[in-house]
Amino acid sequence: MTEHAVEALTGRRAPKLNPSEKDLAARRAASWEEKRPQGGPPQLDNAHQRNPRWDVREWFDEVGMLTEAAAKRLLQAGPAINWAGGWDAGNPEHKKVLLEFQEKYRPRMIVFTPNTRFWTVGEDGAMILGDHEALNTMVEVIAAQVRNGDCFLVRAPENCGFWESSYFLQLVEAGSGQLPSSSPLWRQHCDECRFGLRDPKNGKPMRNRTRFAGTYELERSSTLMLCVGHGSRDH
């Protein structure tokens, strides 16, 4: 199934699944769908409504750590858009409200962390990212950020096939007004072992090279740090 998962992220046709693999794929997709919020969009609280403009917004991250960090630094952060907070960007009703928020509060920066672990089998037999409607919304929101002259970043593991998917190609096209496709800002990297990421089973450092792409340049001295080795306790 690992081979099929890689194919899922690239959008290329996967090898033919045998019945047990199809069953496993369906069960994994169902486990994600069980987490999807139901009902209408959450209400915006008074604290968020009072801010005439938001400095930052965070989409899809399951924990919302950027939103918490922004608040600690006294930045005006909009609510984190994730399933845990009751938001489903793929739901048309939620999408409508989110687009309205974008135009009303004009976030200066939006950081997207698309779910690259949720995948399913498309009608044509190709493996596709499971939350495709939310990813389409992401592309639409990025296009609006570019039109408004505001910034965005997309964050995902370097070795996931998201970067070869149609969604990434669409967002590069959307951002081309601010950023040519050859710009190094489409390929900013950090290794998460530099920030203390460890394997919970054996305590060894985990590199997990992460890629950022968008219209904002991150600091090399504090964020874009690559692994320099760990002596006898390497990855």
Side-chain angles (χ1 to χ4, degrees):
M1 293 304 295
T2 300
E3 179 183 0
H4 297 304
V6 173
E7 295 291 343
L9 300 174
T10 64
R12 297 195 301 268
R13 181 172 296 277
K16 186 177 181 180
L17 299 176
N18 63 44
S20 64
E21 290 172 332
K22 287 182 179 180
D23 178 65
L24 179 58
R27 285 189 282 116
R28 286 182 172 176
S31 69
W32 278 109
E33 287 294 348
E34 289 174 357
K35 302 175 184 179
R36 189 182 295 277
Q38 303 298 315
Q43 294 294 315
L44 192 64
D45 61 36
N46 291 333
H48 288 114
Q49 292 184 44
R50 284 196 297 268
N51 297 326
R53 189 172 185 190
W54 294 335
D55 294 313
V56 64
R57 292 205 75 182
E58 180 178 23
W59 282 51
F60 304 140
D61 185 85
E62 297 173 20
V63 179
M65 292 182 64
L66 175 62
T67 301
E68 294 179 6
K72 290 179 180 178
R73 287 163 175 76
L74 302 181
L75 296 174
Q76 304 300 326
I81 305 306
N82 54 29
W83 287 2
W87 288 100
D88 177 8
N91 180 315
E93 186 179 357
H94 291 217
K95 174 182 176 179
K96 179 177 181 294
V97 173
L98 291 171
L99 292 176
E100 290 173 352
F101 285 171
Q102 185 178 15
E103 292 306 312
K104 182 175 181 179
Y105 295 102
R106 285 286 305 278
R108 293 179 171 87
M109 163 70 78
I110 303 180
V111 179
F112 302 87
T113 307
N115 186 347
T116 58
R117 295 177 292 146
F118 175 20
W119 53 276
T120 187
V121 182
E123 294 181 358
D124 63 353
M127 304 295 286
I128 59 174
L129 286 166
D131 206 14
H132 54 92
E133 290 299 336
L135 293 172
N136 287 330
T137 300
M138 177 185 75
V139 173
E140 190 170 340
V141 169
I142 285 173
Q145 283 291 102
V146 173
R147 288 196 303 271
N148 291 337
D150 297 315
C151 297
F152 74 90
L153 279 173
V154 179
R155 171 182 178 268
E158 170 66 8
N159 291 329
C160 83
F162 170 79
W163 305 111
E164 305 297 330
S165 72
S166 62
Y167 304 107
F168 179 60
L169 297 178
Q170 289 178 69
L171 70 88
V172 171
E173 181 178 357
S176 62
Q178 288 187 356
L179 199 65
S181 60
S182 60
S183 170
L185 295 189
W186 292 119
R187 289 183 174 275
Q188 304 181 77
H189 297 92
C190 76
D191 290 336
E192 294 192 358
C193 59
R194 292 295 302 272
F195 302 92
L197 183 66
R198 296 292 185 270
D199 187 321
K201 293 183 179 180
N202 57 34
K204 288 185 176 182
M206 296 179 65
R207 187 172 73 169
N208 193 33
R209 178 157 292 181
T210 299
R211 177 174 169 182
F212 298 86
T215 55
Y216 186 83
E217 184 173 7
L218 296 167
E219 290 286 341
R220 295 190 178 278
S221 60
S222 61
T223 305
L224 301 181
M225 299 190 296
L226 302 182
C227 180
V228 294
H230 305 277
S232 61
R233 294 180 60 82
D234 213 347
H235 307 113

